[in-house]
Amino acid sequence: MDRIANLCKRRGFIFPSAEIYGGFGGFWDWGPLGQKLKENIKAAWWRDFVLLWDDVVGIDGTIITNPKVWEASGHATNFTDVLVECKKCHHRFKGDDIGQTCPDCGGQLTEPRRFNTMFKTTVGPVEESGSVAYLRPETCQTIFVNYENVRETMRMKLPFGIAQVGKSFRNEITPGNFVFRSREFEQMELEYFVPPAESRKYFDEWVTRCRQWLVDHGIKPEKIQLYEQKPDELAHYSKATTDILYAFPFGKGWSELWGIANRGDYDLRQHGKMARGDEQVFATAIGDDPLAKQVPYVIEPSLGLDRMALAFLLDAYDVVTGGRTTTTESTKEEEVVLHLHPDIAPVKAAVLPLSKKPELQKLAHEITQKLRRSWTTMYDETGSIGRRYRRQDEIGTPFCITVDFESVEGGKRPQGTVTIRHRDTMEQEVVDHNDLVAWMHERLG
Amino acid sequence: MDRIANLCKRRGFIFPSAEIYGGFGGFWDWGPLGQKLKENIKAAWWRDFVLLWDDVVGIDGTIITNPKVWEASGHATNFTDVLVECKKCHHRFKGDDIGQTCPDCGGQLTEPRRFNTMFKTTVGPVEESGSVAYLRPETCQTIFVNYENVRETMRMKLPFGIAQVGKSFRNEITPGNFVFRSREFEQMELEYFVPPAESRKYFDEWVTRCRQWLVDHGIKPEKIQLYEQKPDELAHYSKATTDILYAFPFGKGWSELWGIANRGDYDLRQHGKMARGDEQVFATAIGDDPLAKQVPYVIEPSLGLDRMALAFLLDAYDVVTGGRTTTTESTKEEEVVLHLHPDIAPVKAAVLPLSKKPELQKLAHEITQKLRRSWTTMYDETGSIGRRYRRQDEIGTPFCITVDFESVEGGKRPQGTVTIRHRDTMEQEVVDHNDLVAWMHERLG
């Protein structure tokens, strides 16, 4: 974990937020490569769960929301943590995590007290009680309150889904484990509304689909496991929840990566009651009979993007002692490779002219610009070719395209050809530079 | 404007935030088509100003930021508005907009008072003065505080740029004009760091590039104009600012769409002083001489995404009285067309089987799924073909692909061909369905 955090800092994936001011506890700024990594995860998820489907659409709701939303959902009263403070060293702890004395100094603890973990603000020019609002602690409520607007305007029929990607905020007492638990984070949520009688079937389908998605994107199957929550572990709104756990290198060894919940009709009933005084107001036609209406159940496969990005980094991380890059002088030197799935890798290709000769630079620049129309492409002409491979291996770039003298003048290879080095196998492949875009499209879509 | 707001509501572009609770002043939820519209604007902007360039990288910083950031930037003390309230009707007004009496009821106004328009919250489990933080009122400060981290980890040399797209928050006294001025909005900012001596040259280049980008994406040239701010209008940090104004249908007829500012070295100096006690700490090598160092100037072409989306919608909106869709029965009926640039249009193609015969549905579904790998594609089989064209015209879909009996059985046209209707010209083009992906790639990249 420390090595990942170090790599993230050194190569521009993740920085402590506003680090020049000493950071800010529980907040992280994503650097150039981290921003790309997150974008790619979002894009792959959105394509596979939204774009390819007739029955799923997206929305983008606000972060600051009408406070009634959180009264109806129960967050205003129930979204609390238990806080205790050490009377001696004044460190603070989450009350359900610890015993009678301070784990840091052995001092006496205060009585536990509940506090709401939603961030509060006031809207409008005067701070008064009527103007209190909250930063959303989860994106799904913005979906529920837009249920009727989306269903009507997009002419959706059950079953159908509404997806959203966006930031959420929780005032955690103890943020930690790098970006695993932070106070500001991004969620990818999808609410799939179904006829109540069929909710178990859809729930099981979603568990299978989500697990498969991870494996399809390169997560090692032995690093994930399913955990079905027992009845006494379920949240009050949930009929069933299965967590996909990942073998994160902290805590008990397995922590939640993705939760698939059958939320039943709890949320739509609550908002119906609060907004219109009628729990049944969002009842929707089941099948073709317009009179057969029920408040739909909702299956929620919900995912934290920052946590997913961390899992991808941990899973892809590999250290080899020497020998990977052809010109590494000391074979004892450690070489880092991120075996990221090509869809997820922040940089898809690096174009490397073998020398700084203008004719090589010219062709390499041409290739770079052509690839950039569709993929994030780096151009790098500094350092030995082995060193440049290592730079790319370390950030997980799947393809390094080398432009050499034969590319320009011909020789053993036909003129116009370049060599592509594959990150994982280190195989070299010869491709005509005019065919590169098609070659990349075949591998990256 | 009312017609646009109505269209946005009816077709799922934009809804009042949490409308079932009566909305929330100054906040808007973007529905399925609005979310797509914003995504497409971001993607086009990011491609043209970030991806295609060697010298621009992106970041994704936090919304809740270390409060020192806003002390250094000056926001904590200066980001204020003047508020007055009517003593009779208690309506509130921005003080610099009005005269001696209430514009609503003629009542007497309170003395003007300043209040800070940053949203405030508290971080950590206890509300105490040390834990106050702000929601960022602009994304650019997150860029400035990451300047050194990004420059080092990405090995950037002047001139280079850092871009960011994300939400910002301003507690406006009088939000309004639909999504033109809201309390939660999204910004697309780019900070381009340059040697001070060359800042005028780069400033002029950016003004030209930004204006050209609008025209290239279909904004009518006669609807935009450049306005160079006079010395007494400049913000305190600015050496020069040119606004690109758009002919929005409110206010004085022209309002700011895009501001290009030469911020000089104000921000990096401020953060250097506050974080390290040295205004010069972010001095950076100019050219190849490592000893020639200066704090760079920064050119900032900054854009509000919501405002840009509104401009695209207004600019593309057109009403024709009848005759566009072949089967419109009454030629007097009004038909709405959004002439959006294909890169910006939320839906790129609609696949329309002429009837519900299974063989037509099958081919139409196949085509839909193939296109969906790369583009947002709608499948629609309900209603007359004319009606379906109108639905698509109204949301700006550039290409309607009709699958008819000849597509399946052949006839006047070869078997396997479909007809593509172009939204703007209403021309019909015959294309083999196997060539559709290539046909779309040619037009949409």
Side-chain angles (χ1 to χ4, degrees):
Chain A
M1 185 81 155
D2 285 348
R3 301 185 70 145
I4 287 285
N6 183 286
L7 175 71
C8 284
K9 172 78 200 295
R10 187 163 43 83
R11 293 307 306 271
F13 281 89
I14 303 169
F15 310 123
S17 181
E19 194 183 15
I20 59 171
Y21 294 110
F24 201 43
F27 294 89
W28 300 90
D29 290 341
W30 292 68
L33 296 186
Q35 186 272 339
K36 284 302 304 174
L37 177 69
K38 284 205 300 178
E39 275 305 306
N40 294 344
I41 297 171
K42 281 191 249 187
W45 182 86
W46 195 264
R47 183 195 59 212
D48 294 339
F49 293 111
V50 187
L51 289 188
L52 287 176
W53 299 88
D54 253 330
D55 58 355
V56 184
V57 295
I59 66 160
D60 184 31
T62 57
I63 286 168
I64 299 180
T65 323
N66 191 315
K68 293 204 181 101
V69 174
W70 310 108
E71 285 177 47
S73 70
H75 285 77
T77 45
N78 301 325
F79 200 66
T80 56
D81 265 344
V82 174
L83 169 73
V84 294
E85 191 173 323
C86 172
K87 289 179 180 172
K88 202 165 143 198
C89 74
H90 296 289
H91 285 182
R92 286 165 189 159
F93 306 93
K94 231 169 137 163
D96 43 8
D97 284 357
I98 60 161
Q100 304 292 314
T101 55
C102 174
D104 287 352
C105 77
Q108 210 193 333
L109 298 173
T110 59
E111 283 296 299
R113 70 181 176 86
R114 300 213 149 261
F115 90 105
N116 198 298
T117 53
M118 287 197 292
F119 283 104
K120 203 160 73 173
T121 190
T122 51
V123 172
V126 179
E127 290 179 30
E128 52 199 26
S129 65
S131 59
V132 166
Y134 301 98
L135 309 199
R136 64 181 176 200
E138 57 182 30
T139 54
C140 61
Q141 296 299 334
T142 339
I143 294 178
F144 296 133
V145 297
N146 279 295
Y147 173 79
E148 197 64 9
N149 269 342
V150 172
R151 195 190 58 71
E152 270 184 26
T153 58
M154 302 305 285
R155 304 185 300 143
M156 308 305 278
K157 284 176 182 163
L158 294 181
F160 75 92
I162 306 176
Q164 184 173 208
V165 174
K167 293 240 173 135
S168 288
F169 299 78
R170 295 180 189 176
N171 198 357
E172 300 280 354
I173 298 176
T174 48
N177 289 322
F178 196 28
V179 296
F180 181 81
R181 177 168 282 112
S182 42
R183 285 172 167 153
E184 174 171 341
F185 56 102
E186 206 158 355
Q187 290 186 297
M188 308 195 286
E189 294 208 288
L190 195 154
E191 304 299 325
Y192 196 71
F193 300 95
V194 302
E198 297 170 51
S199 73
R200 184 75 216 186
K201 181 189 79 176
Y202 286 112
F203 177 76
D204 291 341
E205 277 180 25
W206 273 103
V207 171
T208 307
R209 282 180 68 188
C210 294
R211 188 192 171 282
Q212 192 57 43
W213 189 87
L214 292 171
V215 175
D216 289 347
H217 287 83
I219 296 287
K220 298 184 186 83
E222 67 272 23
K223 293 277 189 181
I224 49 179
Q225 64 178 25
L226 301 184
Y227 177 76
E228 186 159 359
Q229 291 188 8
K230 299 185 182 64
D232 63 334
E233 294 173 309
L234 293 173
H236 60 285
Y237 54 74
S238 177
K239 307 272 178 199
T241 297
T242 293
D243 292 330
I244 303 179
L245 309 178
Y246 182 80
F248 285 102
F250 49 74
K252 295 166 198 142
W254 294 93
S255 306
E256 187 194 330
L257 175 59
W258 201 330
I260 299 96
N262 178 349
R263 295 179 75 116
D265 54 7
Y266 177 81
D267 302 278
L268 287 184
R269 275 178 188 273
Q270 285 291 108
H271 288 298
K273 191 165 67 178
M274 175 73 94
R276 306 271 164 79
D278 176 4
E279 287 198 358
Q280 291 295 319
V281 75
F282 297 126
T284 305
I286 308 287
D288 290 330
D289 179 0
L291 296 175
K293 286 186 164 191
Q294 281 183 282
V295 178
Y297 274 28
V298 63
I299 310 301
E300 174 186 81
S302 241
L303 186 59
L305 174 55
D306 314 66
R307 192 173 283 198
M308 186 71 237
L310 178 60
F312 271 118
L313 288 169
L314 287 163
D315 207 76
Y317 188 84
D318 193 17
V319 183
V320 184
T321 308
R324 269 186 60 89
T325 53
T326 47
T327 59
T328 306
E329 269 134 57
S330 156
T331 52
K332 293 281 169 64
E333 226 174 306
E334 286 196 341
E335 301 183 11
V336 171
V337 193
L338 283 186
H339 296 285
L340 290 168
H341 187 284
D343 284 356
I344 304 299
V347 178
K348 307 302 185 195
V351 182
L352 315 173
L354 199 63
S355 89
K356 290 187 183 179
K357 287 269 160 67
E359 57 272 36
L360 267 57
Q361 288 177 324
K362 182 166 171 284
L363 180 57
H365 277 303
E366 267 175 43
I367 292 170
T368 307
Q369 286 309 111
K370 229 189 306 185
L371 296 181
R372 277 187 178 153
R373 301 290 315 170
S374 307
W375 305 283
T376 300
T377 308
M378 268 194 184
Y379 174 93
D380 187 4
E381 58 174 34
T382 59
S384 73
I385 193 74
R387 197 184 167 85
R388 283 183 270 167
Y389 285 157
R390 292 181 64 177
R391 272 187 208 134
Q392 298 300 330
D393 284 351
E394 201 176 46
I395 61 171
T397 309
F399 311 115
C400 282
I401 299 163
T402 306
V403 176
D404 59 15
F405 290 99
E406 287 175 82
S407 305
V408 179
E409 292 161 10
K412 286 186 207 151
R413 300 197 326 263
Q415 196 190 352
T417 56
V418 296
T419 50
I420 304 177
R421 172 183 178 271
H422 292 255
R423 177 197 64 202
D424 298 338
T425 60
M426 291 179 286
E427 270 174 67
Q428 303 264 357
E429 188 173 341
V430 176
V431 174
D432 190 284
H433 79 91
N434 288 310
D435 300 334
L436 273 175
V437 169
W439 190 94
M440 293 280 285
H441 266 304
E442 266 173 51
R443 278 145 194 91
L444 292 159
Chain B
M1 186 80 153
D2 286 347
R3 299 185 72 144
I4 288 285
N6 183 288
L7 175 71
C8 283
K9 172 77 199 299
R10 188 163 43 83
R11 294 306 307 272
F13 281 88
I14 304 169
F15 309 123
S17 180
E19 193 183 16
I20 60 170
Y21 294 110
F24 202 42
F27 295 89
W28 300 89
D29 290 341
W30 292 68
L33 296 185
Q35 187 272 340
K36 284 302 307 173
L37 177 69
K38 283 205 301 178
E39 276 305 305
N40 294 344
I41 296 170
K42 282 192 247 188
W45 182 86
W46 196 264
R47 183 196 59 213
D48 294 338
F49 293 110
V50 186
L51 291 188
L52 287 177
W53 299 88
D54 253 330
D55 58 355
V56 184
V57 295
I59 66 159
D60 183 32
T62 57
I63 286 168
I64 298 181
T65 324
N66 191 315
K68 293 201 182 104
V69 174
W70 310 109
E71 285 176 48
S73 69
H75 286 77
T77 44
N78 301 326
F79 199 65
T80 54
D81 265 343
V82 174
L83 169 73
V84 293
E85 190 175 325
C86 172
K87 290 179 181 172
K88 202 166 143 199
C89 73
H90 297 287
H91 285 181
R92 287 164 187 159
F93 306 93
K94 234 170 136 163
D96 43 8
D97 283 358
I98 59 163
Q100 304 292 315
T101 54
C102 174
D104 288 352
C105 77
Q108 211 192 334
L109 298 173
T110 59
E111 283 296 299
R113 71 184 175 86
R114 299 212 151 261
F115 89 107
N116 198 299
T117 53
M118 287 198 290
F119 282 104
K120 203 161 72 173
T121 191
T122 53
V123 172
V126 179
E127 290 179 30
E128 52 198 24
S129 65
S131 59
V132 166
Y134 301 97
L135 308 200
R136 65 181 176 200
E138 57 183 29
T139 55
C140 59
Q141 296 300 332
T142 340
I143 294 178
F144 297 131
V145 296
N146 279 295
Y147 172 81
E148 196 66 7
N149 268 342
V150 172
R151 194 190 59 72
E152 271 184 28
T153 59
M154 302 303 287
R155 305 184 300 144
M156 308 305 279
K157 286 177 181 163
L158 293 181
F160 74 93
I162 306 176
Q164 184 173 207
V165 174
K167 291 240 173 138
S168 288
F169 299 79
R170 294 179 189 176
N171 198 358
E172 300 280 354
I173 298 174
T174 48
N177 289 323
F178 196 29
V179 297
F180 181 81
R181 177 168 283 112
S182 42
R183 286 172 167 154
E184 173 171 342
F185 56 101
E186 207 158 355
Q187 289 186 298
M188 306 194 289
E189 294 208 288
L190 196 154
E191 305 299 325
Y192 196 72
F193 301 95
V194 303
E198 297 170 51
S199 73
R200 184 74 217 185
K201 180 190 79 175
Y202 286 112
F203 176 77
D204 291 341
E205 278 180 23
W206 273 103
V207 171
T208 307
R209 282 181 68 190
C210 294
R211 188 192 169 280
Q212 191 57 42
W213 190 87
L214 292 171
V215 175
D216 288 347
H217 287 83
I219 297 287
K220 299 184 186 82
E222 67 271 23
K223 294 278 189 179
I224 49 181
Q225 65 178 25
L226 301 183
Y227 177 76
E228 188 158 359
Q229 291 188 10
K230 299 185 182 63
D232 62 335
E233 294 171 308
L234 293 173
H236 60 283
Y237 54 73
S238 179
K239 306 270 179 202
T241 297
T242 293
D243 293 329
I244 303 180
L245 309 178
Y246 182 78
F248 285 101
F250 49 76
K252 292 166 199 142
W254 294 93
S255 305
E256 188 194 329
L257 175 60
W258 201 331
I260 298 96
N262 179 348
R263 294 179 76 116
D265 54 7
Y266 176 82
D267 302 277
L268 287 183
R269 276 178 188 273
Q270 285 291 109
H271 288 298
K273 191 166 66 179
M274 176 72 93
R276 308 269 164 80
D278 176 4
E279 286 197 0
Q280 292 295 319
V281 75
F282 298 124
T284 306
I286 308 286
D288 290 329
D289 180 359
L291 295 175
K293 286 186 166 193
Q294 280 184 283
V295 178
Y297 274 28
V298 62
I299 310 301
E300 173 186 81
S302 241
L303 186 58
L305 174 55
D306 313 66
R307 194 173 281 198
M308 187 70 235
L310 179 60
F312 271 119
L313 288 170
L314 287 163
D315 206 75
Y317 188 83
D318 193 18
V319 183
V320 184
T321 309
R324 268 186 60 88
T325 53
T326 45
T327 59
T328 305
E329 267 135 58
S330 157
T331 52
K332 293 283 168 64
E333 229 174 304
E334 286 197 342
E335 302 181 11
V336 171
V337 193
L338 283 186
H339 296 284
L340 290 167
H341 188 282
D343 283 357
I344 304 300
V347 178
K348 305 303 185 197
V351 182
L352 316 173
L354 199 62
S355 89
K356 290 188 184 178
K357 287 269 160 67
E359 57 272 35
L360 267 58
Q361 287 177 324
K362 183 166 172 282
L363 179 58
H365 277 302
E366 267 176 43
I367 292 170
T368 307
Q369 286 309 111
K370 227 186 313 185
L371 297 180
R372 277 187 178 152
R373 301 288 319 167
S374 308
W375 305 282
T376 299
T377 308
M378 268 194 186
Y379 173 92
D380 187 4
E381 58 176 33
T382 59
S384 73
I385 192 74
R387 196 182 167 87
R388 283 182 270 168
Y389 284 156
R390 291 179 66 175
R391 274 188 205 132
Q392 298 299 331
D393 284 351
E394 201 177 46
I395 62 172
T397 309
F399 310 116
C400 283
I401 299 164
T402 306
V403 176
D404 59 14
F405 290 98
E406 288 174 81
S407 306
V408 179
E409 293 162 10
K412 285 185 208 155
R413 301 196 325 263
Q415 198 190 350
T417 56
V418 296
T419 50
I420 303 176
R421 172 183 177 270
H422 292 255
R423 177 197 63 202
D424 297 339
T425 60
M426 291 180 287
E427 270 175 67
Q428 304 264 356
E429 189 172 342
V430 175
V431 175
D432 189 285
H433 79 92
N434 288 309
D435 301 333
L436 273 174
V437 169
W439 190 94
M440 292 280 285
H441 266 306
E442 266 173 51
R443 279 146 192 93
L444 292 159

